[in-house]
Amino acid sequence: MTTATPINSIKDAIDFAKDNNAVMADLKFMDFLGTWQHLTIPAHRISEDLFEEGLGIDGSSLRAWQPIQASDMQVRPDHTTARMDPFCREPTVSFICNVFDPITGQPYSRDPRYIAQKAENYLKTTGIADTAYFGPEAEFFIFDDIRYSTATQHSFYKVDSVEGAWNTGRDEGPNLGYKPAHKGGYFPVAPNDSLHDLRTEMSLVLEACGIEVDVHHHEVATGGQSEIGIRFNSLVRMADDLQWFKYVVKNVARRHNKTVTFMPKPLHGDNGSGMHTHMSLWKGSQPLFAGEGYAGMSETGLQFIAGILHHARALIALTNPTTNSFKRLVPGYEAPIRLAYSSRNRSAAVRIPTYASSPKARRMEFRTPDASSNGYLAFAAMLMAGLDGIEKQMDPGAPLDKDIYNLPPEELAKVPSAPANLEEALVALAEDHEFLLRGDVFTEDAIEAWITYKMEKEVHPANLHPTPLEFAMYYDV
């Protein structure tokens, strides 16, 4: 299933499919909001023409893309992304595609992968660095059951997990106990960790797909919260890998009659799931963040951090892009809501890890994002914010080497905060996005489409719907 031999040409990709006896080819592409879409063709249709001319799709049926009167779009597979799909019953080669306008033949300005590619190209034109490496830590929950419904006269959700602390008294015929308490999941051995073997299977499938796994473990929350760390990669390749990661994790869980969610806050009263994202810049073989400054960082690295913090409120509209994201970004659950930086301090939005002293390991970690984000857009935006900090020689100010959660109110008031909700974040993005337009990486059209969709289809409906909690609080007024 791996692509051990690099696929450098269309011929290599065609040969890879033949060598693996593929009978079908799956063409995957990312929609604007962050869902992987696909269409499948017989493998005998794989040809040079497929890579050069692509296949047609209806862009009006995909969220926030084309109007119906201009709906024809085209997906063209990237030959370098060939992998065998580990879940198809019949041997199926998979390609990740870019989206094109069939009339102009140009890449589509709202294609997230194209935006990420432009960000990488812009980085090179600055002369600052050649490569930006990203290492996201996408946390998730593994549940046994999920039910939800919203209608005119009712609204509810209910999740369940054999690990859930709420099930200590349930008749399970027999109930064997060992259910992690709230905030007690990090990280006792089995039988407390009942999901070890499942995460191992996920890890082995990822490695079979060519994605190197660093570590897997249970996370803090009860109810099956987990993390599988994968090796860093360059921006576009990491966004590709993140999509494969989510695809593999969800489908391995389904094999075992379980369900995975990357929803940031599915459980009230316990930690949510984040996507702490590690970043570094390199020029040739030289790591640019290593230096003699604070926590072993270079001036370039500190300026990059300054750019992230300066634009953080706007960035969060792309890195934490759901109304549910902000139920995670609250005090008390290890959520980094204060826009400060520090070394080792996990209560700050930006942390400088100190696990290793090697210059090659020097990096910064933006801890606010979550995995509901579109990796291509989120990584591109983070890079552009950091580069703005370098280009403008921004100063991040003094580090905050204190437990932010326990600061006195007068000190806490001086530390900027993340937006309180998605609407605030979208307003911040509307007011602060010039840095994203450089190099035509993001376009005004793409940013406007993002803000409009999120406001009209997510913020406003969430504001309009009564919730069960409101009935609990207000029914007897």
Side-chain angles (χ1 to χ4, degrees):
M1 292 181 193
T2 65
T3 54
T5 302
I7 296 176
N8 298 316
S9 67
I10 292 174
K11 181 180 181 302
D12 289 342
I14 296 171
D15 290 343
F16 175 80
K18 290 178 179 176
D19 292 345
N20 284 276
N21 300 311
V23 296
M24 303 297 287
D26 200 52
L27 308 184
K28 298 177 171 68
F29 64 97
M30 191 70 141
D31 75 11
F32 194 48
L33 278 299
T35 299
W36 232 10
Q37 311 283 354
H38 78 136
L39 63 161
T40 310
I41 61 174
H44 64 73
R45 292 192 61 190
I46 302 174
S47 65
E48 289 199 11
D49 287 346
L50 175 67
F51 295 95
E52 293 170 359
E53 299 176 8
L55 289 178
I57 62 167
D58 175 7
S60 68
S61 294
L62 295 159
R63 301 169 298 173
W65 269 5
Q66 290 296 95
I68 196 166
Q69 70 272 18
S71 59
D72 284 355
M73 303 297 290
Q74 189 183 76
V75 292
R76 297 182 193 175
D78 179 344
H79 62 269
T80 67
T81 65
R83 280 182 173 136
M84 294 303 292
D85 192 303
F87 300 106
C88 299
R89 184 172 61 188
E90 302 298 335
T92 300
V93 64
S94 176
F95 296 97
I96 298 176
C97 301
N98 281 60
V99 183
F100 285 77
D101 183 321
I103 305 301
T104 65
Q106 295 301 306
Y108 183 39
S109 64
R110 296 188 196 176
D111 174 11
R113 195 166 190 264
Y114 177 51
I115 290 171
Q117 289 169 330
K118 288 191 289 182
E120 285 193 320
N121 291 336
Y122 176 74
L123 171 64
K124 294 173 184 175
T125 66
T126 65
I128 294 169
D130 304 318
T131 308
Y133 286 112
F134 285 76
E137 301 172 351
E139 298 165 342
F140 54 94
F141 279 86
I142 303 171
F143 292 135
D144 294 298
D145 188 56
I146 166 66
R147 287 176 285 151
Y148 54 90
S149 180
T150 298
T152 298
Q153 86 293 3
H154 77 260
S155 178
F156 82 93
Y157 72 90
K158 187 172 184 179
V159 299
D160 206 1
S161 165
V162 70
E163 279 200 353
W166 56 88
N167 281 328
T168 55
R170 182 173 68 174
D171 182 359
E172 296 181 342
N175 189 320
L176 300 177
Y178 293 104
K179 302 180 190 302
H182 291 287
K183 299 189 180 183
Y186 190 85
F187 31 34
V189 299
N192 282 284
D193 181 4
S194 68
L195 299 168
H196 173 270
D197 288 340
L198 183 58
R199 291 195 309 271
T200 291
E201 183 178 335
M202 293 169 176
S203 300
L204 293 175
V205 174
L206 285 166
E207 294 230 321
C209 289
I211 298 172
E212 187 176 340
V213 171
D214 288 331
V215 64
H216 77 69
H217 58 82
H218 205 289
E219 261 298 343
V220 173
T222 189
Q225 192 182 34
S226 295
E227 180 180 319
I228 300 174
I230 57 176
R231 185 170 174 79
F232 65 87
N233 210 335
S234 56
L235 192 157
V236 173
R237 292 306 182 197
M238 190 68 251
D240 290 346
D241 286 352
L242 179 61
Q243 287 311 114
W244 272 107
F245 173 83
K246 295 171 82 170
Y247 180 71
V248 166
V249 167
K250 291 177 179 179
N251 280 286
V252 170
R254 195 170 180 86
R255 279 180 182 171
H256 294 270
N257 206 30
K258 293 182 182 290
T259 179
V260 159
T261 182
F262 289 88
M263 185 177 178
K265 189 76 171 186
L267 298 181
H268 169 68
D270 214 332
N271 282 25
S273 294
M275 188 177 73
H276 310 149
T277 302
H278 298 253
M279 290 172 269
S280 64
L281 297 182
W282 288 62
K283 192 164 190 176
S285 60
Q286 184 69 27
L288 299 184
F289 282 5
E292 302 300 322
Y294 173 78
M297 290 290 278
S298 65
E299 184 178 29
T300 296
L302 292 172
Q303 290 170 347
F304 191 95
I305 288 172
I308 293 286
L309 293 174
H310 180 78
H311 296 295
R313 289 179 60 84
L315 277 181
I316 287 170
L318 294 163
T319 62
N320 303 74
T322 67
T323 58
N324 183 256
S325 296
F326 296 85
K327 292 178 170 59
R328 167 181 167 256
L329 296 179
V330 294
Y333 298 97
E334 299 187 23
I337 60 173
R338 292 291 175 170
L339 305 179
Y341 78 102
S342 178
S343 69
R344 305 177 67 183
N345 186 350
R346 283 173 163 79
S347 65
V350 171
R351 183 176 75 99
I352 302 169
T354 56
Y355 295 125
S357 58
S358 168
K360 293 182 178 180
R362 189 63 59 224
R363 61 193 187 275
M364 56 90 48
E365 175 192 19
F366 188 28
R367 295 178 57 79
T368 307
D370 65 58
S372 69
S373 60
N374 181 328
Y376 297 101
L377 300 183
F379 298 162
M382 286 186 254
L383 175 62
M384 296 301 289
L387 290 178
D388 193 48
I390 296 171
E391 291 172 320
K392 293 180 178 176
Q393 298 184 330
M394 292 183 186
D395 183 352
L400 191 57
D401 293 325
K402 298 179 180 179
D403 181 356
I404 296 174
Y405 304 131
N406 292 313
L407 282 181
E410 59 274 14
E411 282 191 62
L412 191 62
K414 299 175 184 177
V415 185
S417 181
N421 53 54
L422 181 56
E423 185 170 8
E424 275 190 27
L426 292 168
V427 170
L429 178 61
E431 295 173 349
D432 175 26
H433 62 259
E434 186 277 333
F435 69 100
L436 298 174
L437 303 178
R438 295 199 184 123
D440 198 38
V441 173
F442 287 78
T443 62
E444 285 282 5
D445 170 74
I447 291 170
E448 181 181 347
W450 181 267
I451 294 171
T452 299
Y453 183 92
K454 288 287 178 177
M455 283 288 196
E456 293 181 356
K457 302 297 185 182
E458 298 181 26
V459 171
H460 294 163
N463 288 340
L464 290 173
H465 279 258
T467 68
L469 179 61
E470 288 175 315
F471 276 80
M473 293 191 297
Y474 307 131
Y475 184 75
D476 62 350
V477 295

